[in-house]
Amino acid sequence: MIRNVLKPNLLLFVLTSYCYWIHSNCTIFQIISITTGAIFVYVQSLSGEALSTTNYLHVDAAIHVPLLKKESPDIFKLLPDKFLPDYKSLCWYTEADAFMCLPKVYLAGMPKCGSTDLFAKLTWHPNIEAPRCGKENHYWARSRLGKSTNHLEKRVIEKQKFQGYLNQLGPVNLLGQKDSLLMDGTQSLLWDLLGWESRYHLSEKPPYSNAELINAVAPSSKVIVVLRDPVERLYSDYLYFNGNMYGPRENRTAMSFDEAVRAELARFVTCLSQNNLRMCCYSSENNPKMRLHLGIYICYIRDWYELFAENMIVITLEDYSKQPLPVLYRIFNFLNVPQMPLAELSDYIKSDSKKNTRSKSDSSKGGMLKNTRKLLQDFYHPYNIELAKYLRDTRFIYRYK
């Protein structure tokens, strides 16, 4: 992590290089403040237009460990000083000689981005193990502390002990399997901090992210994130979750989607006029029936990338759908597991039907209205650009016509 001991000239060189890559007409920097672990930079173009004011480096995650220990003392009491060095997963023996393991890999990402199918394909590999409880358990994001309901979502999630979570993972399946990687596929890990406002009344934004929690517990973890065009993601999310969780399917139409989008856009823009972007992205007031905020990927990716950059890979559903083999081989290489024979893997992909695709009922609804699409494209485009610049990957621009 860069500290404030950096010499000014070196810092200016780094920032100038970064700015030139993003904006070829950048010329003026104002270092608003340099504090321990954080640099705030104001970038101005030749035309005088303010291009960005961004906290590029957040406060060191280590300072949040005392807070996390206070919230979840049972986690840190059960964790070992060191994991077993001959296991690729994060395994250890407790004082009672019980064998326990934590996931080494987290398949995080957004809902309706293809993670269910990707999880199935990855865990077909003999060295990648699924938890006994299945793809998603939501321990870190939800049941670690329990979740009280908000006024939009009428449900309560009971608090779960860390030992219960470990038992759900099925560590016995890894006993002796030293080359196996346990993979957690919980999507909410990337974005869900529901209820943080009730715990930290005086904070203007969440005091920590789930990334900082995983980093405090298992800093050597590897993270796979799956994204897709946020406009398409939102429509798929609306059709799927509203049908399964929030009411009868027949009530969902392109017109009802348009109405819901406009209402949530107005609410979110109001939030931005009163708060910072990070607070609005993680707000417990975001409508669970119209999860507009989940498409602002830069909000969540930045929190994870700052801690797991070298151990994090971001892929797109678009690439995976068109060419699954190269994407799978890229992930196998990232996880440092043996590559599967091409013919064998290709045959498996052909024989295994895609998981969690759009139902016939949802498909019969047709596409969204053109005006709705344009409205969402205009809203997401600046955030897509910011993500593409942050990751230095033009795939995330999603060039809308």
Side-chain angles (χ1 to χ4, degrees):
M1 169 163 285
I2 300 176
R3 300 285 186 181
N4 58 338
V5 296
L6 275 176
K7 298 202 178 284
N9 289 340
L10 175 59
L11 177 59
L12 187 58
F13 171 77
V14 171
L15 294 175
T16 303
S17 300
Y18 178 81
C19 185
Y20 180 79
W21 178 82
I22 296 179
H23 302 288
S24 59
N25 63 342
C26 276
T27 57
I28 301 174
F29 289 94
Q30 293 178 17
I31 301 176
I32 297 174
S33 66
I34 303 180
T35 58
T36 302
I39 300 175
F40 295 83
V41 182
Y42 176 84
V43 183
Q44 188 172 341
S45 68
L46 286 170
S47 63
E49 176 188 5
L51 296 173
S52 63
T53 304
T54 308
N55 178 1
Y56 288 108
L57 303 175
H58 287 192
V59 177
D60 193 332
I63 71 171
H64 296 309
V65 172
L67 175 60
L68 296 171
K69 286 184 175 180
K70 182 179 179 181
E71 283 188 346
S72 303
D74 59 324
I75 292 178
F76 295 91
K77 287 180 180 178
L78 279 175
L79 284 176
D81 293 331
K82 293 189 296 184
F83 296 111
L84 296 174
D86 52 342
Y87 276 81
K88 288 190 175 180
S89 284
L90 306 176
C91 302
W92 74 99
Y93 285 95
T94 68
E95 293 181 356
D97 205 32
F99 183 73
M100 294 293 165
C101 293
L102 279 171
K104 174 71 173 183
V105 183
Y106 292 91
L107 175 56
M110 291 303 172
K112 307 310 296 175
C113 290
S115 66
T116 300
D117 188 77
L118 180 60
F119 185 87
K121 299 298 190 293
L122 290 175
T123 52
W124 178 75
H125 192 290
N127 293 109
I128 302 176
E129 187 78 20
R132 185 174 61 189
C133 59
K135 172 177 174 269
E136 302 186 34
N137 56 72
H138 300 283
Y139 171 76
W140 297 109
R142 296 176 182 171
S143 58
R144 176 179 67 94
L145 296 174
K147 297 288 186 182
S148 58
T149 185
N150 64 9
H151 69 282
L152 296 166
E153 192 171 10
K154 308 301 182 185
R155 65 192 180 115
V156 176
I157 299 173
E158 298 295 332
K159 184 175 181 178
Q160 182 183 24
K161 292 184 177 180
F162 185 54
Q163 182 66 69
Y165 164 66
L166 292 174
N167 293 339
Q168 283 185 334
L169 294 174
V172 67
N173 296 337
L174 288 170
L175 185 58
Q177 305 298 317
K178 296 183 178 181
D179 290 330
S180 291
L181 296 173
L182 184 61
M183 183 169 69
D184 183 324
T186 304
Q187 297 299 286
S188 62
L189 186 64
L190 189 73
W191 52 270
D192 192 356
L193 291 175
L194 182 65
W196 67 268
E197 297 96 334
S198 63
R199 298 192 299 275
Y200 305 102
H201 302 285
L202 301 180
S203 180
E204 294 182 354
K205 58 185 178 180
Y208 62 83
S209 66
N210 289 329
E212 289 168 296
L213 174 60
I214 297 300
N215 183 259
V217 171
S220 65
S221 300
K222 295 206 168 189
V223 181
I224 305 167
V225 176
V226 194
L227 304 177
R228 72 187 286 193
D229 179 347
V231 176
E232 298 299 332
R233 193 218 69 81
L234 184 62
Y235 191 48
S236 181
D237 189 84
Y238 174 79
L239 293 177
Y240 180 83
F241 286 103
N242 277 358
N244 288 1
M245 298 170 62
Y246 300 110
R249 288 181 176 272
E250 59 268 19
N251 292 344
R252 293 165 301 130
T253 65
M255 183 60 72
S256 68
F257 178 69
D258 179 83
E259 293 171 355
V261 164
R262 292 177 186 277
E264 183 62 6
L265 268 174
R267 190 205 63 79
F268 197 84
V269 169
T270 299
C271 181
L272 288 176
S273 70
Q274 301 169 354
N275 306 281
N276 60 69
L277 177 62
R278 193 164 183 269
M279 184 276 173
C280 292
C281 285
Y282 285 110
S283 172
S284 300
E285 296 297 307
N286 288 325
N287 189 343
K289 298 183 183 182
M290 175 47 62
R291 300 193 287 187
L292 179 82
H293 59 292
L294 296 190
I296 306 176
Y297 301 140
I298 184 63
C299 244
Y300 313 99
I301 293 296
R302 183 183 286 123
D303 283 347
W304 284 85
Y305 202 79
E306 286 178 350
L307 296 173
F308 291 96
E310 295 181 359
N311 284 324
M312 180 172 167
I313 186 172
V314 184
I315 66 172
T316 69
L317 174 61
E318 290 82 3
D319 285 347
Y320 177 63
S321 296
K322 291 177 182 178
Q323 295 184 311
L325 279 170
V327 171
L328 289 171
Y329 277 124
R330 182 184 173 202
I331 295 174
F332 293 153
N333 184 62
F334 167 70
L335 297 179
N336 196 28
V337 296
Q339 297 288 3
M340 299 297 295
L342 179 60
E344 188 176 343
L345 183 57
S346 181
D347 288 344
Y348 171 69
I349 291 173
K350 292 176 183 178
S351 65
D352 187 56
S353 60
K354 289 186 177 181
K355 306 295 188 298
N356 212 17
T357 56
R358 186 173 295 183
S359 68
K360 290 183 179 179
S361 174
D362 288 348
S363 297
S364 67
K365 303 288 184 180
M368 70 185 81
L369 301 176
K370 289 183 178 180
N371 288 341
T372 317
R373 184 181 300 277
K374 181 64 166 60
L375 191 66
L376 289 171
Q377 288 175 345
D378 290 345
F379 173 74
Y380 283 127
H381 185 65
Y383 301 117
N384 295 343
I385 293 291
E386 190 172 356
L387 178 65
K389 291 172 180 176
Y390 185 79
L391 295 179
R392 302 193 175 195
D393 192 333
T394 57
R395 290 178 304 161
F396 301 104
I397 294 179
Y398 296 108
R399 302 183 187 280
Y400 301 131
K401 297 180 180 179

